[in-house]
């Protein structure tokens, strides 16, 4: 029986374990924190659970103002504009942790039920491949004892950890990284978020909705610099309109506690103060101390593991998946990389990883979902595509629900009309992107999208409407 050792139990690791066991291999998963990894325990699942609570708060606020819903209370008339609902952050965070732990337990049960074995500890490679084609993996348990596992195939899926700035080290109380926010018992009165990428934007929007006064510090000229510029502009406008203080083109040099407050010093000398500070300045791969290069595994300058499109590293019999590869920091991509690795090593049919069919979502309000080629690709000439963007303000269902912000944008090839990308900015954009993902993955045309029935009224009707506009416009680019 083929022996496989998987180091790391995140999406890349546990999905690979399920496939390996299903295909008849003897699979051992080495993990130190709990299956599900950071995605389940400290990142994706917890943050989206927190955001779900923030979404309810936002929906209530918008319903209160836009839809005319009133909750009777004893607020004096002069203070009627004051918020009449609040949040118990301690209770929210306890629920977040409970759900994350339950999800981890469910994953562990699925993996063990499939026939894989789970070993607690930290794994590292034992050196180059032996003459018999096997490799050793050294597992160090919490008590320091070591065990050696031998396998024909090793998958490294150890993920990443929050990047730290030497002069802004988290203390877990006032200066926090995104794994520590779930220990807060009270809502930060004034929260400074350093970093305007996906993580920073999501937490900034969530805490603002929960009731914090938020300052978002961006080193670039706009929030979400890696996302569609039209989408980022919508979100930044919403943030500012809701009272967020967005400081652009400002790099944080340090953060320090001063009593019960935090001072963040910017590179231009300005000082921003608040009660708490969240550092969201990226992540670093968990590759240190794993004996990788000594075992023949090539690392990039960033510390990430180099892989090809079937998840192979430069070392025979060693594969890698997930954030440790530095490709796309998405649980769906990690899971696919892990599955591809197992299919490839065990000789099953495999389709190489195609990043142009990956759909992703930013869980802000409104959400931003994307798939395929982007506006940046079109602007840089990497692909010749026609573009149409349709604001949701024209959509009947959006009007009924009081949705003012957002749009649907499609990219298609001139001549053939094949859909090559799309962007959706709206509430639950993560649900609306799926038909566009199907179109991109299956080379569907705008004519096929336009001719498919949609429900009226529905937000998805805007996807068909954009496709109809692209179908009728034979030349040029529309935006």
């Amino acid at each position: 029986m083929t022996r496989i050792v998987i180091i790391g139990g995140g999406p890349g690791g546990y999905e690979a374990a399920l496939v390996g066991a299903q295909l008849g291999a003897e699979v051992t998963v080495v993990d130190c924190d709990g299956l599900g990894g950071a995605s389940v325990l400290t990142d994706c699942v917890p943050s989206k659970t927190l955001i779900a609570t923030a979404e309810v708060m936002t929906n209530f606020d918008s319903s209160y103002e836009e839809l005319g819903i009133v909750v009777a209370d004893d607020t004096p008339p002069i203070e009627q504009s004051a918020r009449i609902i609040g949040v118990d952050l301690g209770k929210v965070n306890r629920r977040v942790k409970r759900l994350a732990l339950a999800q981890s337990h469910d994953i562990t049960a699925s993996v063990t039920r499939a026939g894989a074995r789970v070993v607690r500890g930290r794994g590292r490679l034992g050196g180059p491949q032996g003459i018999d084609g096997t490799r050793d993996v050294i597992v160090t348990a919490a008590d320091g004892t070591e065990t050696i596992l031998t396998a024909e195939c090793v998958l490294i899926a150890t993920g990443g950890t929050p990047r730290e700035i030497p002069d802004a080290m988290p203390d877990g109380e006032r200066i926090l990284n995104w794994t520590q926010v779930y220990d807060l018992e009270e809502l930060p009165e004034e929260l400074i978020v350093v970093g305007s990428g996906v993580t920073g934007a999501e937490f900034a929007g969530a805490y603002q909705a929960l009731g914090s006064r938020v300052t978002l510090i961006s080193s670039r000229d706009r929030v979400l610099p890696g996302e569609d510029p039209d989408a980022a502009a919508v979100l930044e406008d919403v943030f500012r309109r809701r009272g967020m203080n967005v400081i652009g083109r400002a790099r944080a040099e340090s953060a320090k506690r001063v009593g019960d407050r935090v001072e963040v010093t910017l590179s231009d000398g300005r000082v921003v103060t608040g009660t708490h500070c969240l550092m969201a300045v990226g992540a670093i791969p968990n590759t240190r101390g794993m004996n990788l290069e000594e075992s023949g595994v090539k690392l990039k300058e960033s510390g990430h593991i180099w892989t090809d499109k079937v998840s192979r590293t430069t070392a025979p019999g060693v594969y890698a998946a997930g954030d440790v590869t530095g490709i796309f920091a998405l649980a769906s991509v990690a899971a696919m990389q892990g599955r591809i690795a197992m299919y490839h090593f065990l000789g099953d049919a495999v389709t190489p990883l195609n990043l142009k069919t990956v759909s992703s979502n930013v869980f802000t309000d409104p959400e931003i979902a994307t798939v395929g080629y982007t506006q940046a690709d079109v602007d840089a000439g990497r692909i010749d595509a026609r573009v149409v963007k349709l604001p949701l303000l024209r959509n009947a269902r959006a009007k009924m629900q009081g949705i003012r912000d957002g749009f649907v944008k499609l990219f298609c090839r001139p001549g053939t009309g094949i859909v090559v990308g799309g962007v959706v900015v709206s509430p639950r954009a993560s649900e609306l992107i799926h038909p566009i993902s199907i179109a991109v993955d299956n080379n569907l045309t705008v004519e096929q999208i336009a001719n498919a029935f949609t429900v009226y009224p529905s937000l998805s009707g805007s996807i068909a409407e954009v496709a109809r506009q692209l179908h009728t416009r034979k030349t040029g680019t529309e935006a």
Side-chain angles (χ1 to χ4, degrees):
M1 183 179 289
T2 303
R3 294 167 295 179
I4 296 173
V5 173
I6 298 169
I7 307 176
Y14 73 74
E15 286 288 347
L18 292 172
V19 170
Q22 181 184 23
L23 295 180
E26 179 185 296
V27 180
T28 301
V29 181
V30 179
D31 184 80
C32 59
D33 298 318
L35 293 197
S39 176
V40 169
L41 295 169
T42 60
D43 191 357
C44 190
V45 170
S47 65
K48 277 49 176 181
T49 306
L50 177 73
I51 289 167
T53 300
E55 182 182 11
V56 173
M57 300 283 284
T58 300
N59 289 341
F60 183 88
D61 281 350
S62 61
S63 299
Y64 179 64
E65 296 176 2
E66 178 75 17
L67 304 184
I69 296 175
V70 176
V71 176
D73 68 351
D74 298 326
T75 305
I78 195 171
E79 299 174 5
Q80 280 294 323
S81 61
R83 177 174 252 187
I84 55 178
I85 59 171
V87 64
D88 182 338
L89 189 64
K91 187 174 183 179
V92 171
N93 282 339
R94 286 189 290 276
R95 176 176 182 264
V96 166
K97 293 179 180 178
R98 186 171 64 250
L99 290 179
L101 192 60
Q103 182 68 8
S104 178
H105 287 163
D106 287 345
I107 292 169
T108 303
S110 296
V111 168
T112 54
R113 191 164 54 243
R117 179 169 65 122
V118 179
V119 175
R120 286 283 184 173
R122 295 185 179 276
R124 68 182 188 276
L125 296 183
Q129 187 181 54
I131 58 174
D132 61 351
T134 65
R135 285 182 181 273
D136 288 341
V137 173
I138 303 171
V139 181
T140 304
D143 61 4
T145 59
E146 291 188 344
T147 304
I148 296 178
L149 305 175
T150 301
E152 286 77 28
C153 173
V154 177
L155 173 70
I156 301 168
T158 47
T161 53
R163 188 170 75 87
E164 296 177 340
I165 297 175
D167 291 328
M169 297 298 289
D171 60 12
E173 296 179 355
R174 296 285 174 174
I175 303 174
L176 310 157
N177 62 37
W178 68 76
T179 70
Q180 298 169 329
V181 294
Y182 310 109
D183 293 325
L184 292 175
E185 285 294 322
E186 295 183 356
L187 187 69
E189 185 178 342
E190 303 168 66
L191 177 65
I192 304 167
V193 178
V194 177
S196 64
V198 173
T199 301
E202 287 183 346
F203 276 111
Y207 277 102
Q208 182 186 48
L210 293 174
S212 297
R213 293 196 297 276
V214 176
T215 296
L216 178 60
I217 298 174
S218 173
S219 62
R220 308 288 283 275
D221 57 354
R222 61 179 172 87
V223 300
L224 295 175
E227 298 296 322
D228 181 271
D230 293 331
V234 169
L235 184 66
E236 184 165 339
D237 178 65
V238 170
F239 277 174
R240 293 182 186 276
R241 204 167 64 231
R242 290 176 179 170
M244 186 182 298
N245 179 24
V246 180
I247 303 176
R249 298 181 181 179
R251 187 175 298 276
E253 294 287 344
S254 66
K256 64 178 181 179
R257 289 185 60 167
V258 180
D260 289 336
R261 297 186 66 78
V262 177
E263 291 185 354
V264 176
T265 302
L266 307 182
S267 55
D268 60 7
R270 285 180 293 173
V271 177
V272 181
T273 65
T275 59
H276 296 77
C277 175
L278 171 62
M279 302 299 298
V281 289
I284 58 173
N286 293 327
T287 53
R288 301 179 72 177
M290 292 190 63
N291 204 32
L292 296 178
E293 291 182 301
E294 295 83 352
S295 302
V297 178
K298 179 182 178 181
L299 299 181
K300 304 175 186 177
E301 289 186 9
S302 60
H304 294 94
I305 298 174
W306 180 93
T307 57
D308 63 13
K309 291 187 178 181
V310 290
S311 304
R312 288 180 297 189
T313 71
T314 53
V318 179
Y319 293 74
D323 291 3
V324 76
T325 67
I327 293 179
F328 267 178
L330 298 171
S332 59
V333 173
M336 184 62 74
Q337 288 177 294
R339 290 191 290 263
I340 286 173
M342 294 299 100
Y343 292 140
H344 183 268
F345 181 77
L346 295 171
D348 204 25
V350 61
T351 301
L353 184 67
N354 180 6
L355 296 179
K356 286 306 177 186
T357 63
V358 174
S359 57
S360 62
N361 193 73
V362 183
F363 288 86
T364 47
D365 181 42
E367 293 181 4
I368 299 173
T370 57
V371 65
Y373 283 92
T374 66
Q375 187 70 57
D377 292 325
V378 176
D379 294 342
R382 288 187 285 270
I383 188 171
D384 184 15
R386 293 165 52 216
V387 186
V388 165
K389 182 181 72 175
L390 183 68
L392 285 182
L393 275 173
R394 304 182 190 177
N395 182 286
R397 186 67 182 274
K399 293 176 182 176
M400 296 171 190
Q401 294 181 323
I403 299 171
R404 301 178 181 180
D405 304 291
F407 61 82
V408 174
K409 180 193 286 190
L410 287 183
F411 306 85
C412 79
R413 296 286 283 165
T416 64
I418 291 175
V419 179
V420 294
V423 181
V424 179
V425 181
S426 79
R428 302 297 173 90
S430 51
E431 312 295 341
L432 290 172
I433 198 66
H434 191 232
I436 305 177
S437 296
I438 293 174
V440 171
D441 196 38
N442 292 277
N443 296 318
L444 301 184
T445 66
V446 290
E447 181 180 9
Q448 290 172 302
I449 301 300
N451 288 337
F453 278 99
T454 58
V455 172
Y456 182 85
S458 68
L459 295 181
S460 60
S462 288
I463 298 174
E465 177 59 28
V466 173
R468 281 191 287 272
Q469 292 190 22
L470 277 169
H471 178 55
T472 57
R473 291 171 179 168
K474 303 299 183 183
T475 59
T477 299
E478 301 290 338

